[in-house]
Amino acid sequence: ALLATMPLHAEIETDFENGNRLFEQGKYSEAVTSFESILKSGKTSAAIYFNLANTSLKLGEFGRAVYYYQQANRLNPRDADVRANLRFVRHEVAGAFAREATGWQRFLRYFSIREWGFGTALLGALWFGVMAAREWKKRWRRALFWPARILGGGACVVGVLCFQASNSWACADEGVVIADQAELRPGPLMESRVFHKLRDGEEVRVLGAKDDWVHIMDVTQRTGWLKRDKIIPLSRIGLLESVVK
């Protein structure tokens, strides 16, 4: 797996380069620590998440690799390497049951939330400018009638798509298993019998939470309760708090 080497802020460049060097030396655990120190400082980028994902993959931590690839994909949704690696890990874990985005999801996720927001703001600003020009120069009203309609309608449509994309990217009810042979039980009690074990890297839907337990549904529609520390949410918005090792 290739590491990203895109330029970053000067204050985090040392840790980033150190993580890359440790990766090349085969010191994957130390590389993870170096990359994660950047995240803990409050700095994020697709390159950091991509390198963390590649390093986690080298360590055999498929769940964390999926999580980090997802975060990189959210920040840079058209990066071919990120998408290819995420698809590879998913098929390694789930095979024929690997999660695939719908056509609508692929459309909404073609742009990042920031890009959707920028498009909405740009069209809104252009609409406002045209409307101001119509008020400023009365003789322009007829000529600017259709531009105002088109820009106003476009801003509304893109705004709605921005909202839909935000919900799609939020992944508020999605999580990924980060432990191999994670025990699934019918109830949120250790006394409940184990009826299935989930693989590290399986993506699940979060249905609810109770104390140290999470109620989930896997890709085969199987439901059960899983210990909270065996799963990491794909978003900070939702039923679980985001956890970084």
Side-chain angles (χ1 to χ4, degrees):
L2 297 175
L3 292 182
T5 56
M6 62 183 293
L8 298 164
H9 298 294
E11 62 267 26
I12 65 175
E13 191 171 350
T14 300
D15 284 334
F16 186 77
E17 292 179 349
N18 185 50
N20 283 353
R21 183 170 58 254
L22 290 167
F23 180 93
E24 296 299 334
Q25 294 171 353
K27 299 177 180 179
Y28 303 124
S29 295
E30 291 91 336
V32 166
T33 300
S34 185
F35 290 132
E36 286 186 342
S37 67
I38 302 173
L39 296 181
K40 290 175 182 178
S41 72
K43 308 296 183 181
T44 63
S45 77
I48 297 169
Y49 283 124
F50 181 69
N51 288 7
L52 266 170
N54 287 341
T55 310
S56 297
L57 191 57
K58 286 290 188 180
L59 290 168
E61 298 178 349
F62 293 107
R64 294 191 181 278
V66 169
Y67 171 78
Y68 289 128
Y69 282 135
Q70 285 274 44
Q71 302 309 311
N73 189 46
R74 182 178 302 182
L75 295 175
N76 192 4
R78 293 181 298 283
D79 188 288
D81 290 331
V82 172
R83 296 169 68 178
N85 287 13
L86 177 58
R87 186 164 54 249
F88 168 78
V89 178
R90 281 174 164 170
H91 281 279
E92 281 290 303
V93 172
F97 294 102
R99 177 172 295 185
E100 296 288 348
T102 64
W104 179 242
Q105 286 177 323
R106 286 194 296 271
F107 169 71
L108 291 175
R109 296 182 181 186
Y110 186 77
F111 299 104
S112 67
I113 296 176
R114 179 177 296 180
E115 289 170 334
W116 279 113
F118 177 78
T120 303
L122 178 61
L123 287 173
L126 289 173
W127 172 81
F128 181 81
V130 170
M131 293 299 293
R134 293 184 73 211
E135 291 299 318
W136 181 47
K137 295 287 187 179
K138 304 298 183 182
R139 66 177 181 274
W140 291 355
R141 284 193 171 186
R142 178 171 296 181
L144 294 177
F145 176 78
W146 282 111
R149 286 287 186 91
I150 292 171
L151 288 171
C156 290
V157 170
V158 175
V160 170
L161 290 174
C162 179
F163 176 77
Q164 293 289 332
S166 179
N167 287 338
S168 179
W169 277 118
C171 305
D173 62 348
E174 297 178 24
V176 58
V177 178
I178 56 171
D180 199 24
Q181 300 297 302
E183 298 175 340
L184 197 62
R185 303 171 188 270
L189 296 169
M190 288 300 294
E191 292 75 14
S192 296
R193 65 179 179 83
V194 177
F195 70 91
H196 183 66
K197 293 184 178 181
L198 297 170
R199 294 182 61 189
D200 183 18
E202 285 196 50
E203 294 174 78
V204 298
R205 179 183 176 190
V206 178
L207 304 176
K210 181 179 180 180
D211 300 326
D212 293 331
W213 296 86
V214 181
H215 193 205
I216 63 95
M217 175 188 292
D218 68 10
V219 292
T220 65
Q221 307 299 306
R222 182 189 291 112
T223 62
W225 290 84
L226 192 67
K227 289 289 288 183
R228 186 185 289 263
D229 61 359
K230 306 299 182 185
I231 183 174
I232 185 170
L234 293 176
S235 173
R236 296 182 183 275
I237 306 171
L239 296 168
L240 301 173
E241 294 179 358
S242 182
V243 178
V244 175
K245 183 175 72 172

